[in-house]
């Protein structure tokens, strides 16, 4: 059955959705359904979420093609399955504990760091970025002939999570193997390796974010989301010239947080 068939079947004679179907399509109903499934692990598709995490590194376009399919079948762009968020939270916890171990933090310091990273770095910053991008995209990027469409806030948050995952793996996992013996050695090789990892991680974030919004057919000029690459590369070159080690700054900030 085509997606349009199921929608049309629920339309009354005057062309308006009946009350039950209208409620089903409201943002509040979608949010309630998502949060309800957050505590029902048996209903989550962890295998599919793991597939998405793999392809966010190798072929992120394929991940967003699945978002298109969801729009056609379930009439929403945002995820309706919280499995990706659960796996991301596990990754976040494990990698942050590893960070605490590498930085020789105590048990309670590691717990403080974990709470900060989860609720401030991931959730807090994520809510801020998602809200900002949701506002900007709906205000300035929607095509004039597509004013009846809008970017779902949940989709904006999903785009952030998609972009955050590669950044997390690079900076909170891969980087751990180089911190003590390479990156924090106060040498040119140290901050070259560390800052290059930052360049790749933030570059991934920018690119995956761009793909997320360019996948929406009713948006225009999404190429401007790639413009941050210019100051990023400039900052990278400047950091190498000045000997500024991004990872050393991050580690110092982490230790300051947990005091």
């Amino acid at each position: 059955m085509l997606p349009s068939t199921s929608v049309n079947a629920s339309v009354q004679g005057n062309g308006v959705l009946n009350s039950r179907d209208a409620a089903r399509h409201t943002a509040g109903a979608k949010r309630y359904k998502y949060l309800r499934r957050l505590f029902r692990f048996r209903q989550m598709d962890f295998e599919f979420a793991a597939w998405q995490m793999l392809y966010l590194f190798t072929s992120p376009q394929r991940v967003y093609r699945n978002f298109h399919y969801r729009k056609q079948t379930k009439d929403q762009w945002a995820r309706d399955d919280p499995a990706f968020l659960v796996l991301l939270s596990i990754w976040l916890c494990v990698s942050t504990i590893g960070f605490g171990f590498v930085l020789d933090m105590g048990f309670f310091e590691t717990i403080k760091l974990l709470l900060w990273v989860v609720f401030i770095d991931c959730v807090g910053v994520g809510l801020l970025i998602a809200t900002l991008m949701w506002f900007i995209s709906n205000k300035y990027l929607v095509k004039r002939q597509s004013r009846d469409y809008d970017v779902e806030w949940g989709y904006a948050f999903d785009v952030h999570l998609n972009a955050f995952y590669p950044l997390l793996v690079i900076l909170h996992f891969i980087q751990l193997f180089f911190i003590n013996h390479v990156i924090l050695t106060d040498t040119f090789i140290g901050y070259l390796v560390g800052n290059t990892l930052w360049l790749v991680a933030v570059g991934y974030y920018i690119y995956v974010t761009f793909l997320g919004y360019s996948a929406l057919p009713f948006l225009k000029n999404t190429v401007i989301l790639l413009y941050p690459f210019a100051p990023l590369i400039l900052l990278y070159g400047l950091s190498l010239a000045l000997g500024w080690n991004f990872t050393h700054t991050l580690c110092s900030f982490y230790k300051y947080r947990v005091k």
Side-chain angles (χ1 to χ4, degrees), residues 209-223:
T209 298
F210 159 74
L211 290 178
Y213 290 95
S214 64
L216 300 180
F218 53 87
L219 295 185
K220 62 180 180 180
N221 301 328
T222 53
V223 69

Side-chain angles (χ1 to χ4, degrees), residues 3-244:
S4 58
T5 305
S6 60
V7 174
N8 291 336
S10 62
V11 176
Q12 299 176 348
N14 58 0
V16 179
L17 289 173
N18 62 50
S19 59
R20 177 180 297 179
D21 292 312
R24 187 184 303 160
H25 287 81
T26 63
K30 294 175 182 178
R31 185 163 53 247
Y32 172 76
K33 180 181 178 182
Y34 183 88
L35 293 175
R36 185 178 60 182
R37 293 189 64 181
L38 192 58
F39 301 98
R40 299 182 179 182
F41 292 99
R42 293 185 178 181
Q43 296 183 5
M44 298 184 194
D45 191 347
F46 290 106
E47 182 179 354
F48 181 67
W51 172 88
Q52 288 184 317
M53 288 182 164
L54 173 63
Y55 279 102
L56 282 172
F57 274 102
T58 59
S59 182
Q61 296 92 335
R62 296 186 63 175
V63 176
Y64 288 114
R65 280 201 291 270
N66 174 260
F67 280 76
H68 271 278
Y69 176 75
R70 184 183 302 108
K71 177 62 176 177
Q72 292 176 335
T73 57
K74 299 183 179 181
D75 194 32
Q76 70 178 64
W77 290 97
R79 290 187 176 97
D80 61 340
D81 184 350
F84 186 92
L85 179 61
V86 172
L87 290 185
L88 179 64
S89 300
I90 294 173
W91 258 103
L92 196 59
C93 292
V94 172
S95 63
T96 302
I97 292 172
F99 226 107
F101 177 78
V102 169
L103 296 182
D104 198 26
M105 293 182 178
F107 174 77
F108 291 105
E109 290 178 330
T110 303
I111 295 300
K112 288 181 183 179
L113 178 64
L114 177 61
L115 293 175
W116 184 284
V117 169
V118 170
F119 292 105
I120 303 299
D121 289 354
C122 181
V123 178
V125 175
L127 293 175
L128 180 63
I129 294 177
T131 302
L132 180 64
M133 293 301 300
W134 168 78
F135 174 78
I136 292 175
S137 57
N138 282 317
K139 183 72 174 179
Y140 301 107
L141 300 183
V142 175
K143 296 176 183 177
R144 180 171 300 179
Q145 63 271 26
S146 304
R147 287 299 176 183
D148 292 335
Y149 298 90
D150 66 333
V151 178
E152 303 167 7
W153 186 92
Y155 181 79
F157 189 67
D158 278 339
V159 170
H160 164 72
L161 294 181
N162 289 344
F164 182 78
Y165 174 68
L167 182 146
L168 171 69
V169 172
I170 294 171
L171 296 183
H172 266 229
F173 180 69
I174 296 176
Q175 185 173 227
L176 294 182
F177 298 97
F178 303 95
I179 283 184
N180 286 332
H181 301 292
V182 178
I183 298 176
L184 298 183
T185 56
D186 199 23
T187 62
F188 176 77
I189 295 298
Y191 53 81
L192 174 64
V193 173
N195 291 5
T196 300
L197 287 175
W198 276 85
L199 175 68
V200 174
V202 178
Y204 251 112
Y205 187 93
I206 295 172
Y207 180 62
V208 174
T209 298
F210 159 74
L211 290 178
Y213 290 95
S214 64
L216 300 180
F218 53 87
L219 295 185
K220 62 180 180 180
N221 301 328
T222 53
V223 69
I224 65 174
L225 299 178
L226 293 176
Y227 288 178
F229 267 112
L232 174 65
I233 295 173
L234 179 63
L235 181 62
Y236 172 73
L238 188 63
S239 69
L240 296 182
L242 298 178
W244 179 15

